[in-house]
């Protein structure tokens, strides 16, 4: 049974930082591209970042480029999202997702497995 478990969410002030880990189990992690998505109340789930299975290539939404960094440790079956200079508009539930294949995609429909999400709230 595949499981993706996010953690690290919380309430922080604008300008602060958070690190979100997502631990995967039940799959061969090193052959999956990984992605982070977020969903704010009343809005559709949106792409945040993705990383290839080797970690050699990444892609970011324009809204987070230069502030967020996605990385992975295949030995620990873990993907990370380092979030810096957080803004109130970053408030959302953050989800990690796994896609079998080298490259990630920006569409959530392209992903095979999802975590349960972790809440991130940024106060102004």
């Amino acid at each position: 049974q595949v499981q993706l478990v996010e953690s690290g969410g919380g309430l922080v002030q604008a300008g602060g930082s958070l690190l979100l880990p997502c631990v995967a189990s039940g799959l061969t992690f090193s052959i999956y591209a990984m992605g982070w998505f977020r969903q704010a109340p009343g809005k559709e789930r949106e792409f945040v970042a993705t990383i290839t299975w080797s970690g050699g290539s990444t892609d970011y939404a324009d809204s987070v480029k230069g502030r967020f960094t996605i990385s992975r440790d295949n030995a620990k079956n873990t993907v990370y999202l380092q979030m810096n200079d957080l803004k109130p508009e970053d408030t959302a539930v953050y989800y990690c997702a796994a896609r079998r294949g080298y490259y990630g995609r920006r569409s959530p429909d392209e992903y095979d497995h999802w975590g349960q999400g972790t809440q991130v709230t940024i106060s102004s």
Side-chain angles (χ1 to χ4, degrees):
Q1 180 181 357
V2 176
Q3 281 194 311
L4 302 178
V5 181
E6 306 96 335
S7 61
L11 172 64
V12 297
Q13 290 187 330
S17 298
L18 283 173
L19 174 65
L20 305 184
C22 169
V23 181
S25 60
L27 52 72
T28 305
F29 184 71
S30 60
I31 63 170
Y32 281 79
M34 298 298 295
W36 283 97
F37 292 78
R38 66 187 181 185
Q39 188 166 18
K43 295 188 176 181
E44 293 188 352
R45 191 167 298 190
E46 67 171 354
F47 167 75
V48 174
T50 188
I51 189 167
T52 54
W53 73 28
S54 68
S57 181
T58 57
D59 184 30
Y60 297 92
D62 288 345
S63 59
V64 307
K65 200 172 293 182
R67 300 188 297 122
F68 291 10
T69 302
I70 188 172
S71 62
R72 66 189 294 161
D73 184 339
N74 286 352
K76 295 183 178 180
N77 283 11
T78 301
V79 62
Y80 303 93
L81 186 68
Q82 175 67 49
M83 307 188 294
N84 298 329
D85 189 23
L86 285 159
K87 304 176 180 181
E89 52 263 41
D90 295 318
T91 295
V93 177
Y94 283 71
Y95 299 89
C96 72
R99 178 182 185 273
R100 184 159 183 168
Y102 184 75
Y103 287 104
R105 294 289 186 264
R106 291 190 168 207
S107 170
D109 295 338
E110 299 276 356
Y111 288 78
D112 303 300
H113 306 289
W114 290 85
Q116 83 290 347
T118 186
Q119 176 70 48
V120 171
T121 304
I122 312 303
S123 63
S124 57

